[in-house]
Amino acid sequence: MLTLLGVAVLVVGFIVRIHPLLVVAAAAIATSLSAGMSPIEGISTLGKAFNDNRYVSLVWLILPVIGLLERAGLQERARALVSRVRSATTGRLLLMYFVIRQLSAALGLTSLGGHAQMVRPLIAPMAEGAAENRYGPLPDRARWLIRASAAAADNVALFFGEDIFLAIASILLIKGFLEQNGIVVEPLQVSIWAIPTAVLALLVHGTRLLLLDRRLQRELARVSGVSRTDTGEARE
């Protein structure tokens, strides 16, 4: 029963709003002491657990790095870079990212892209910059549409691209499910049959991305027409 003392330390520490790292460390030491360990053994066990699972916390190191880059003007630099390419459009840029994301996922590099580390700080601002380069300042509706399309491109490309890679969790899940129902397949077979699906996803979503340029042009032309009408009425 005393081994649950660490839970009480956690609850009290979070209630009084002490630094989370200190609370967790104090809870671990309290648990080890109540379990009959010496302070040295408790600290050694805590250090070993952290060392064995340190790769889990590496993901969180990306977030402050991205925050610092954005504060230093990463999004503005991305917009300025794409504005120099006259032939760049929002749909073409997102389609290029879709192809790269799908190919990298097919090779097992699923962490190469992502919303937090790629879409928000780079892809979405570049797509907005391409639209601003053609149509000028964007209304909020168009801006949110572009951001949603950038996030969707990442999702669809990853979902249908990662199944081509042989040693991915989804392939193993499909293999296990089929074997439970008496169907024995090799992971390579599942991986090969995922290629036509990925190609079809590229064709369907790639078409949607190319049509995004036309949609933006229609919506922005309509908004511009309404603005001119309102301005004319105000002058009269």
Side-chain angles (χ1 to χ4, degrees), residues 5-29:
L5 183 61
V7 178
V9 174
L10 283 175
V11 173
V12 174
F14 289 142
I15 289 176
V16 298
R17 297 184 179 182
I18 303 176
H19 195 285
L21 183 59
L22 296 177
V23 174
V24 172
I29 294 175

Side-chain angles (χ1 to χ4, degrees), residues 55-137:
Y55 62 90
V56 177
S57 59
L58 289 178
V59 179
W60 301 105
L61 295 178
I62 299 175
L63 299 180
V65 171
I66 293 175
L68 290 174
L69 290 175
E70 288 188 359
R71 186 176 182 181
L74 178 63
Q75 293 188 2
E76 288 75 9
R77 293 294 182 181
R79 287 191 179 94
L81 176 63
V82 76
S83 64
R84 299 174 185 173
V85 184
R86 296 298 178 183
S87 60
T89 66
T90 301
R92 293 172 185 172
L93 190 145
L94 292 180
L95 178 58
M96 182 178 66
Y97 175 70
F98 185 97
V99 173
I100 296 174
R101 178 66 161 147
Q102 192 173 59
L103 290 176
S104 61
L107 297 175
L109 303 175
T110 56
S111 60
L112 184 61
H115 291 185
Q117 61 268 38
M118 187 65 70
V119 174
R120 183 182 185 277
L122 283 178
I123 302 302
M126 291 176 71
E128 292 178 24
E132 291 173 348
N133 191 34
R134 285 179 171 266
Y135 309 113

Side-chain angles (χ1 to χ4, degrees), residues 9 48 126 160 180 184 190 195 208 235:
V9 174
K48 184 178 184 303
M126 291 176 71
F160 291 98
Q180 289 178 1
V184 180
V190 182
I195 297 177
R208 293 185 62 194
R235 289 178 179 176

